[in-house]
Amino acid sequence: MFYWLMKVTIGPVLTVLFRPKVEGIEHIPERGAAILASNHLSFSDSFFLPLVLRRRITFPAKMEYFTGTGVKGRLTAAFFRGVGQIPIDRSGGSASWVAMEGGLDILRSGELFGIYPEGTRSPDGRLYRGKTGVARLALEAGVPIIPVAMIDTDKAQPTGQIVPTITQIGIRIGEPLDVTQYVGQESDHLVLRRITDEVMQSLQRLSGQEYVDEYAADRKRALQERAERMMAAAKAQADAAAAKARAEAAAATARAREEAVAAAAKARAQADEYAEWARTEYAAAVERAGEATARAKDEYAAATERLQAQVAEVTQKTRAQADEALVKADGALTKARAQAVEATGRAFASVSEGAALAEGWFAQARADSAARAEHLQEQAEHLQEQADEKSSRGQESDQERAERSVAAEGSQPGGVGDEKVVDTAPETKATSVSRERD
Protein backbone atom coordinates (compact mmCIF):
# COMPACT_ATOMS: atom_id res chain seq x y z
CA MET A 1 0.00 0.00 0.00
CA PHE A 2 2.78 2.44 0.97
CA TYR A 3 4.60 1.54 -2.27
CA TRP A 4 1.69 2.65 -4.48
CA LEU A 5 1.07 5.71 -2.30
CA MET A 6 4.69 6.82 -2.81
CA LYS A 7 4.44 6.07 -6.53
CA VAL A 8 1.25 8.15 -6.91
CA THR A 9 2.39 11.11 -4.78
CA ILE A 10 6.13 11.37 -5.42
CA GLY A 11 6.26 9.74 -8.83
CA PRO A 12 4.75 12.66 -10.79
CA VAL A 13 7.07 15.12 -9.06
CA LEU A 14 10.16 13.09 -9.94
CA THR A 15 8.91 12.66 -13.50
CA VAL A 16 8.52 16.41 -13.96
CA LEU A 17 11.87 17.26 -12.36
CA PHE A 18 14.15 14.60 -13.85
CA ARG A 19 12.30 13.86 -17.13
CA PRO A 20 13.44 10.21 -17.39
CA LYS A 21 14.08 9.05 -20.96
CA VAL A 22 13.07 5.39 -21.22
CA GLU A 23 14.10 3.02 -24.01
CA GLY A 24 12.98 -0.64 -24.37
CA ILE A 25 10.04 -0.49 -21.95
CA GLU A 26 8.38 -3.13 -24.17
CA HIS A 27 10.83 -5.74 -22.86
CA ILE A 28 9.13 -5.67 -19.44
CA PRO A 29 6.49 -8.44 -19.39
CA GLU A 30 2.93 -7.51 -18.51
CA ARG A 31 2.75 -10.44 -16.13
CA GLY A 32 4.96 -13.16 -14.75
CA ALA A 33 8.19 -13.15 -12.80
CA ALA A 34 11.44 -11.73 -14.10
CA ILE A 35 14.74 -10.43 -12.73
CA LEU A 36 15.71 -6.88 -13.68
CA ALA A 37 19.54 -6.75 -13.46
CA SER A 38 20.79 -3.14 -13.42
CA ASN A 39 24.06 -1.32 -13.21
CA HIS A 40 24.35 0.71 -10.01
CA LEU A 41 25.49 4.35 -10.23
CA SER A 42 23.48 6.13 -7.56
CA PHE A 43 21.38 5.69 -4.46
CA SER A 44 18.43 7.00 -6.47
CA ASP A 45 18.54 4.08 -8.95
CA SER A 46 16.05 2.17 -6.76
CA PHE A 47 13.61 5.11 -7.08
CA PHE A 48 13.95 6.02 -10.75
CA LEU A 49 13.45 2.47 -12.15
CA PRO A 50 10.18 1.79 -10.24
CA LEU A 51 9.08 5.27 -11.39
CA VAL A 52 8.85 4.20 -15.07
CA LEU A 53 7.36 0.71 -14.51
CA ARG A 54 3.66 0.01 -14.30
CA ARG A 55 4.33 -3.13 -12.24
CA ARG A 56 5.69 -3.30 -8.75
CA ILE A 57 9.35 -4.18 -8.40
CA THR A 58 11.23 -5.13 -5.24
CA PHE A 59 14.94 -4.42 -4.71
CA PRO A 60 17.29 -5.83 -2.11
CA ALA A 61 18.85 -3.11 0.06
CA LYS A 62 21.92 -3.33 2.20
CA MET A 63 21.39 -4.66 5.68
CA GLU A 64 22.56 -1.40 7.29
CA TYR A 65 19.33 0.35 6.19
CA PHE A 66 17.31 -2.05 8.37
CA THR A 67 19.53 -2.29 11.45
CA GLY A 68 19.89 1.38 12.36
CA THR A 69 19.25 2.48 15.95
CA GLY A 70 17.47 5.46 17.36
CA VAL A 71 14.60 7.38 15.79
CA LYS A 72 16.43 7.93 12.50
CA GLY A 73 17.37 4.25 12.20
CA ARG A 74 13.81 3.06 12.87
CA LEU A 75 12.32 5.55 10.39
CA THR A 76 14.83 4.49 7.71
CA ALA A 77 14.01 0.80 8.21
CA ALA A 78 10.24 1.50 8.09
CA PHE A 79 10.66 3.50 4.85
CA PHE A 80 12.59 0.78 3.02
CA ARG A 81 10.18 -1.92 4.13
CA GLY A 82 7.25 0.29 3.07
CA VAL A 83 8.61 0.67 -0.48
CA GLY A 84 9.14 -3.08 -0.79
CA GLN A 85 12.88 -3.33 -0.12
CA ILE A 86 14.30 -6.48 1.49
CA PRO A 87 17.57 -6.58 3.47
CA ILE A 88 20.62 -8.32 2.06
CA ASP A 89 24.01 -9.09 3.57
CA ARG A 90 26.54 -7.99 0.98
CA SER A 91 29.47 -9.88 2.51
CA GLY A 92 28.90 -12.65 -0.06
CA GLY A 93 28.69 -16.43 0.15
CA SER A 94 26.01 -18.21 2.14
CA ALA A 95 25.13 -15.09 4.12
CA SER A 96 24.11 -13.26 0.95
CA TRP A 97 22.20 -16.28 -0.40
CA VAL A 98 20.14 -16.55 2.79
CA ALA A 99 19.00 -12.99 2.25
CA MET A 100 18.38 -13.71 -1.47
CA GLU A 101 15.86 -16.41 -0.58
CA GLY A 102 13.45 -13.56 0.11
CA GLY A 103 13.90 -12.51 -3.51
CA LEU A 104 13.31 -16.11 -4.60
CA ASP A 105 9.97 -16.06 -2.78
CA ILE A 106 9.04 -12.85 -4.65
CA LEU A 107 9.90 -14.45 -8.00
CA ARG A 108 7.95 -17.61 -7.21
CA SER A 109 4.95 -15.40 -6.51
CA GLY A 110 5.19 -14.08 -10.10
CA GLU A 111 6.52 -10.59 -9.31
CA LEU A 112 9.45 -8.54 -10.56
CA PHE A 113 12.67 -8.54 -8.58
CA GLY A 114 15.43 -6.02 -9.16
CA ILE A 115 19.07 -6.73 -8.42
CA TYR A 116 22.44 -5.03 -8.87
CA PRO A 117 24.93 -7.71 -10.02
CA GLU A 118 27.89 -5.48 -9.08
CA GLY A 119 26.77 -5.78 -5.45
CA THR A 120 27.39 -2.09 -4.67
CA ARG A 121 27.50 1.33 -6.32
CA SER A 122 30.30 1.94 -8.82
CA PRO A 123 33.03 3.96 -7.10
CA ASP A 124 34.06 5.78 -10.30
CA GLY A 125 31.24 5.40 -12.87
CA ARG A 126 32.73 2.32 -14.57
CA LEU A 127 31.01 -1.07 -14.83
CA TYR A 128 32.55 -3.73 -12.58
CA ARG A 129 32.51 -7.51 -12.55
CA GLY A 130 29.15 -9.00 -11.57
CA LYS A 131 28.53 -11.44 -8.74
CA THR A 132 26.96 -14.81 -9.62
CA GLY A 133 24.01 -14.44 -7.28
CA VAL A 134 21.84 -13.08 -10.12
CA ALA A 135 22.48 -16.20 -12.23
CA ARG A 136 21.84 -18.58 -9.38
CA LEU A 137 18.61 -16.78 -8.48
CA ALA A 138 17.41 -16.94 -12.13
CA LEU A 139 18.17 -20.68 -12.36
CA GLU A 140 16.53 -21.40 -9.00
CA ALA A 141 13.35 -19.52 -9.99
CA GLY A 142 13.50 -20.41 -13.71
CA VAL A 143 12.90 -16.80 -14.80
CA PRO A 144 14.54 -14.58 -17.45
CA ILE A 145 17.05 -11.86 -16.69
CA ILE A 146 16.28 -8.43 -18.17
CA PRO A 147 19.32 -6.09 -18.33
CA VAL A 148 18.58 -2.47 -17.38
CA ALA A 149 21.09 0.37 -17.78
CA MET A 150 20.71 3.50 -15.65
CA ILE A 151 22.07 6.60 -17.46
CA ASP A 152 23.41 9.73 -15.69
CA THR A 153 21.83 8.97 -12.33
CA ASP A 154 25.26 9.51 -10.82
CA LYS A 155 25.07 13.10 -12.09
CA ALA A 156 21.68 13.60 -10.48
CA GLN A 157 22.84 12.25 -7.14
CA PRO A 158 26.54 11.47 -6.75
CA THR A 159 27.74 9.38 -3.85
CA GLY A 160 27.61 11.40 -0.64
CA GLN A 161 25.17 14.03 -1.96
CA ILE A 162 21.86 14.12 -0.08
CA VAL A 163 19.81 16.53 -2.19
CA PRO A 164 19.72 15.46 -5.87
CA THR A 165 20.69 17.79 -8.69
CA ILE A 166 17.90 18.48 -11.18
CA THR A 167 19.02 16.92 -14.47
CA GLN A 168 17.59 14.52 -17.02
CA ILE A 169 18.30 10.83 -16.49
CA GLY A 170 17.88 7.86 -18.80
CA ILE A 171 16.82 4.21 -18.53
CA ARG A 172 17.63 1.64 -21.23
CA ILE A 173 16.00 -1.78 -21.01
CA GLY A 174 17.50 -4.65 -23.01
CA GLU A 175 16.06 -7.88 -24.32
CA PRO A 176 15.48 -10.61 -21.75
CA LEU A 177 18.19 -13.29 -21.41
CA ASP A 178 16.73 -16.80 -21.42
CA VAL A 179 18.60 -19.10 -19.02
CA THR A 180 16.24 -22.07 -19.11
CA GLN A 181 18.90 -24.12 -20.90
CA TYR A 182 21.01 -23.99 -17.76
CA VAL A 183 18.28 -24.95 -15.30
CA GLY A 184 19.52 -27.64 -12.95
CA GLN A 185 23.13 -26.39 -13.13
CA GLU A 186 22.82 -23.75 -10.46
CA SER A 187 25.60 -25.45 -8.49
CA ASP A 188 28.05 -25.24 -11.41
CA HIS A 189 30.17 -22.18 -10.80
CA LEU A 190 31.35 -21.97 -14.40
CA VAL A 191 27.76 -21.86 -15.62
CA LEU A 192 26.90 -19.19 -13.07
CA ARG A 193 29.94 -17.16 -14.14
CA ARG A 194 29.04 -17.53 -17.85
CA ILE A 195 25.49 -16.30 -17.27
CA THR A 196 26.69 -13.43 -15.06
CA ASP A 197 29.30 -12.33 -17.60
CA GLU A 198 26.65 -12.37 -20.34
CA VAL A 199 24.45 -10.13 -18.20
CA MET A 200 27.35 -7.72 -17.60
CA GLN A 201 28.15 -7.63 -21.33
CA SER A 202 24.56 -6.66 -22.05
CA LEU A 203 24.73 -3.94 -19.42
CA GLN A 204 27.99 -2.67 -20.89
CA ARG A 205 26.43 -2.43 -24.37
CA LEU A 206 23.35 -0.64 -23.03
CA SER A 207 25.17 1.82 -20.74
CA GLY A 208 28.34 2.41 -22.74
CA GLN A 209 30.37 2.17 -19.53
CA GLU A 210 33.97 1.05 -19.41
CA TYR A 211 34.12 -2.51 -18.09
CA VAL A 212 36.52 -3.46 -15.29
CA ASP A 213 37.07 -7.18 -14.62
CA GLU A 214 37.22 -6.61 -10.89
CA TYR A 215 34.61 -6.67 -8.16
CA ALA A 216 33.44 -3.17 -7.22
CA ALA A 217 33.63 -4.11 -3.54
CA ASP A 218 37.28 -5.09 -3.98
CA ARG A 219 37.89 -1.86 -5.86
CA LYS A 220 36.23 0.13 -3.09
CA ARG A 221 38.24 -1.78 -0.54
CA ALA A 222 41.44 -1.06 -2.47
CA LEU A 223 40.47 2.59 -2.77
CA GLN A 224 39.66 2.66 0.92
CA GLU A 225 42.96 1.02 1.79
CA ARG A 226 44.74 3.40 -0.55
CA ALA A 227 42.93 6.32 1.05
CA GLU A 228 43.86 4.97 4.47
CA ARG A 229 47.47 4.58 3.37
CA MET A 230 47.45 8.07 1.95
CA MET A 231 45.86 9.34 5.15
CA ALA A 232 48.45 7.48 7.18
CA ALA A 233 51.24 8.84 4.97
CA ALA A 234 49.75 12.32 5.19
CA LYS A 235 49.43 11.93 8.94
CA ALA A 236 53.02 10.70 9.13
CA GLN A 237 54.14 13.63 7.00
CA ALA A 238 52.07 15.98 9.12
CA ASP A 239 53.55 14.47 12.29
CA ALA A 240 57.04 14.75 10.82
CA ALA A 241 56.37 18.30 9.73
CA ALA A 242 54.93 19.08 13.15
CA ALA A 243 57.96 17.49 14.84
CA LYS A 244 60.27 19.41 12.52
CA ALA A 245 58.31 22.59 13.18
CA ARG A 246 58.49 21.96 16.92
CA ALA A 247 62.23 21.33 16.66
CA GLU A 248 62.71 24.44 14.55
CA ALA A 249 60.53 26.38 16.95
CA ALA A 250 62.56 25.09 19.89
CA ALA A 251 65.80 25.97 18.09
CA ALA A 252 64.42 29.37 17.17
CA THR A 253 63.29 29.87 20.74
CA ALA A 254 66.73 28.90 22.02
CA ARG A 255 68.39 31.23 19.51
CA ALA A 256 65.99 33.99 20.43
CA ARG A 257 66.67 33.38 24.11
CA GLU A 258 70.43 33.47 23.53
CA GLU A 259 70.11 36.60 21.40
CA ALA A 260 67.92 38.17 24.06
CA VAL A 261 70.46 37.32 26.76
CA ALA A 262 73.30 38.70 24.61
CA ALA A 263 71.27 41.80 23.81
CA ALA A 264 70.46 42.27 27.49
CA ALA A 265 74.14 41.87 28.42
CA LYS A 266 75.14 44.32 25.69
CA ALA A 267 72.45 46.74 26.84
CA ARG A 268 73.64 46.44 30.44
CA ALA A 269 77.25 47.01 29.34
CA GLN A 270 76.21 50.04 27.30
CA ALA A 271 74.11 51.29 30.21
CA ASP A 272 77.06 50.85 32.59
CA GLU A 273 79.35 52.59 30.11
CA TYR A 274 76.92 55.45 29.70
CA ALA A 275 76.41 55.67 33.47
CA GLU A 276 80.19 55.84 33.97
CA TRP A 277 80.44 58.52 31.29
CA ALA A 278 77.56 60.40 32.92
CA ARG A 279 79.23 60.17 36.33
CA THR A 280 82.52 61.40 34.84
CA GLU A 281 80.80 64.24 33.02
CA TYR A 282 78.83 65.13 36.13
CA ALA A 283 82.00 65.21 38.24
CA ALA A 284 83.71 67.37 35.60
CA ALA A 285 80.67 69.64 35.45
CA VAL A 286 80.64 69.92 39.23
CA GLU A 287 84.36 70.73 39.18
CA ARG A 288 83.87 73.31 36.45
CA ALA A 289 80.93 74.72 38.35
CA GLY A 290 83.12 74.96 41.47
CA GLU A 291 85.81 76.73 39.50
CA ALA A 292 83.22 79.08 38.03
CA THR A 293 81.81 79.71 41.50
CA ALA A 294 85.30 80.43 42.83
CA ARG A 295 85.97 82.81 39.94
CA ALA A 296 82.62 84.46 40.54
CA LYS A 297 83.44 84.85 44.22
CA ASP A 298 86.85 86.33 43.38
CA GLU A 299 85.28 88.70 40.86
CA TYR A 300 82.58 89.58 43.38
CA ALA A 301 85.24 90.32 46.05
CA ALA A 302 87.23 92.42 43.57
CA ALA A 303 84.10 94.29 42.49
CA THR A 304 83.17 94.85 46.13
CA GLU A 305 86.67 96.19 46.89
CA ARG A 306 86.50 98.48 43.86
CA LEU A 307 83.06 99.70 44.87
CA GLN A 308 84.16 100.26 48.45
CA ALA A 309 87.19 102.19 47.20
CA GLN A 310 84.95 104.29 44.99
CA VAL A 311 82.58 104.90 47.91
CA ALA A 312 85.51 105.87 50.13
CA GLU A 313 86.82 108.15 47.43
CA VAL A 314 83.42 109.78 46.98
CA THR A 315 83.02 110.10 50.73
CA GLN A 316 86.46 111.68 51.02
CA LYS A 317 85.68 114.07 48.20
CA THR A 318 82.36 114.89 49.82
CA ARG A 319 84.04 115.56 53.13
CA ALA A 320 86.64 117.72 51.41
CA GLN A 321 83.91 119.67 49.71
CA ALA A 322 82.14 120.06 53.07
CA ASP A 323 85.35 121.24 54.71
CA GLU A 324 85.92 123.63 51.84
CA ALA A 325 82.40 124.96 52.26
CA LEU A 326 82.99 125.40 55.97
CA VAL A 327 86.22 127.23 55.25
CA LYS A 328 84.41 129.44 52.80
CA ALA A 329 81.71 130.00 55.38
CA ASP A 330 84.29 130.95 58.01
CA GLY A 331 85.97 133.25 55.49
CA ALA A 332 82.65 134.81 54.69
CA LEU A 333 81.97 135.18 58.39
CA THR A 334 85.35 136.76 58.97
CA LYS A 335 84.81 139.00 56.06
CA ALA A 336 81.40 139.89 57.35
CA ARG A 337 82.80 140.65 60.78
CA ALA A 338 85.51 142.77 59.25
CA GLN A 339 82.98 144.58 57.17
CA ALA A 340 80.86 145.01 60.25
CA VAL A 341 83.80 146.47 62.21
CA GLU A 342 84.65 148.72 59.31
CA ALA A 343 81.08 149.79 59.01
CA THR A 344 80.97 150.43 62.73
CA GLY A 345 83.97 152.62 62.43
CA ARG A 346 82.53 154.65 59.59
CA ALA A 347 79.10 155.04 60.89
CA PHE A 348 78.48 154.53 64.57
CA ALA A 349 74.95 155.53 64.14
CA SER A 350 74.28 152.63 61.91
CA VAL A 351 75.99 150.12 64.21
CA SER A 352 72.85 148.43 65.12
CA GLU A 353 71.78 148.26 61.53
CA GLY A 354 75.24 147.06 60.43
CA ALA A 355 75.42 144.56 63.23
CA ALA A 356 72.02 143.22 62.31
CA LEU A 357 73.02 143.05 58.69
CA ALA A 358 76.25 141.27 59.51
CA GLU A 359 74.45 138.88 61.82
CA GLY A 360 71.99 138.15 59.01
CA TRP A 361 74.79 137.48 56.58
CA PHE A 362 76.47 135.23 59.08
CA ALA A 363 73.31 133.31 59.74
CA GLN A 364 72.67 132.96 56.03
CA ALA A 365 76.22 131.78 55.37
CA ARG A 366 76.05 129.24 58.17
CA ALA A 367 72.68 128.00 56.96
CA ASP A 368 74.02 127.69 53.42
CA SER A 369 77.08 125.81 54.66
CA ALA A 370 74.95 123.47 56.76
CA ALA A 371 72.55 122.86 53.88
CA ARG A 372 75.47 122.23 51.54
CA ALA A 373 77.06 119.78 53.98
CA GLU A 374 73.76 118.01 54.54
CA HIS A 375 73.21 117.72 50.78
CA LEU A 376 76.68 116.30 50.31
CA GLN A 377 76.11 113.83 53.16
CA GLU A 378 72.84 112.66 51.55
CA GLN A 379 74.62 112.16 48.25
CA ALA A 380 77.29 110.11 50.02
CA GLU A 381 74.66 107.95 51.73
CA HIS A 382 72.79 107.56 48.43
CA LEU A 383 75.99 106.44 46.73
CA GLN A 384 76.65 103.99 49.60
CA GLU A 385 73.14 102.48 49.15
CA GLN A 386 73.64 102.19 45.39
CA ALA A 387 76.99 100.50 46.01
CA ASP A 388 75.40 98.04 48.43
CA GLU A 389 72.53 97.33 46.00
CA LYS A 390 74.99 96.84 43.12
CA SER A 391 77.06 94.53 45.28
CA SER A 392 73.93 92.50 46.15
CA ARG A 393 72.85 92.26 42.48
CA GLY A 394 76.34 91.31 41.42
CA GLN A 395 76.41 88.52 44.02
CA GLU A 396 72.99 87.19 42.93
CA SER A 397 73.94 87.41 39.23
CA ASP A 398 77.18 85.52 39.86
CA GLN A 399 75.33 82.82 41.77
CA GLU A 400 72.69 82.48 39.02
CA ARG A 401 75.40 82.23 36.35
CA ALA A 402 77.10 79.50 38.36
CA GLU A 403 73.84 77.55 38.72
CA ARG A 404 73.05 77.88 35.01
CA SER A 405 76.52 76.68 34.16
CA VAL A 406 76.09 73.59 36.36
CA ALA A 407 72.67 72.84 34.88
CA ALA A 408 73.87 73.27 31.28
CA GLU A 409 76.93 71.09 31.80
CA GLY A 410 74.84 68.38 33.54
CA SER A 411 72.41 68.08 30.61
CA GLN A 412 74.93 68.40 27.75
CA PRO A 413 78.41 66.82 27.84
CA GLY A 414 81.23 69.26 27.17
CA GLY A 415 83.17 72.05 28.85
CA VAL A 416 81.87 75.39 29.95
CA GLY A 417 83.68 78.41 28.63
CA ASP A 418 85.00 80.83 31.24
CA GLU A 419 83.21 84.09 31.22
CA LYS A 420 84.93 87.11 32.76
CA VAL A 421 82.55 89.37 34.63
CA VAL A 422 83.43 93.01 34.30
CA ASP A 423 81.67 95.33 36.70
CA THR A 424 81.42 98.82 35.31
CA ALA A 425 79.31 100.04 38.21
CA PRO A 426 82.17 101.81 40.04
CA GLU A 427 83.03 103.79 36.94
CA THR A 428 79.34 104.63 36.46
CA LYS A 429 78.98 105.74 40.09
CA ALA A 430 82.13 107.80 39.95
CA THR A 431 80.94 109.44 36.77
CA SER A 432 77.59 110.18 38.44
CA VAL A 433 79.28 111.72 41.48
CA SER A 434 81.54 113.75 39.24
CA ARG A 435 78.60 115.01 37.26
CA GLU A 436 76.67 115.80 40.51
CA ARG A 437 79.62 117.72 41.85
CA ASP A 438 79.93 119.74 38.64
Side-chain angles (χ1 to χ4, degrees), residues 3 26 63 187 231 235 267 370 404:
Y3 178 90
E26 67 275 8
M63 185 69 70
S187 298
M231 288 294 294
K235 185 177 183 300
R404 285 196 301 271

Side-chain angles (χ1 to χ4, degrees), residues 140-304:
E140 289 282 351
V143 297
I145 301 175
I146 302 175
V148 179
M150 307 301 295
I151 309 298
D152 292 337
T153 55
D154 55 337
K155 297 179 180 178
Q157 190 177 23
T159 301
Q161 180 175 318
I162 298 177
V163 179
T165 301
I166 305 302
T167 184
Q168 186 176 26
I169 58 97
I171 300 175
R172 294 174 186 160
I173 303 172
E175 295 181 359
L177 301 178
D178 186 6
V179 296
T180 55
Q181 58 180 324
Y182 299 110
V183 173
Q185 303 180 49
E186 56 269 11
S187 298
D188 190 337
H189 182 72
L190 293 178
V191 172
L192 297 179
R193 172 48 56 192
R194 186 181 303 115
I195 295 172
T196 302
D197 290 344
E198 186 177 353
V199 171
M200 301 310 295
Q201 291 173 5
S202 298
L203 289 175
Q204 197 276 331
R205 286 194 298 269
L206 290 170
S207 66
Q209 292 173 273
E210 177 185 352
Y211 180 75
V212 181
D213 192 18
E214 179 184 1
Y215 289 122
D218 294 341
R219 181 62 176 171
K220 282 187 175 181
R221 189 178 303 108
L223 291 175
Q224 181 66 26
E225 291 174 354
R226 181 183 177 185
E228 291 176 355
R229 288 194 301 271
M230 291 177 65
M231 288 294 294
K235 185 177 183 300
Q237 291 178 355
D239 293 341
K244 182 179 179 181
R246 286 193 296 270
E248 291 177 352
T253 302
R255 288 195 302 270
R257 187 180 295 111
E258 292 175 357
E259 291 175 357
V261 171
K266 182 178 180 181
R268 284 195 297 269
Q270 291 177 348
D272 294 341
E273 181 179 354
Y274 182 78
E276 181 63 25
W277 173 83
R279 284 193 294 268
T280 302
E281 290 296 322
Y282 177 74
V286 170
E287 183 178 356
R288 288 193 295 271
E291 293 175 356
T293 302
R295 287 195 301 271
K297 288 181 178 180
D298 294 340
E299 292 176 359
Y300 170 73
T304 302

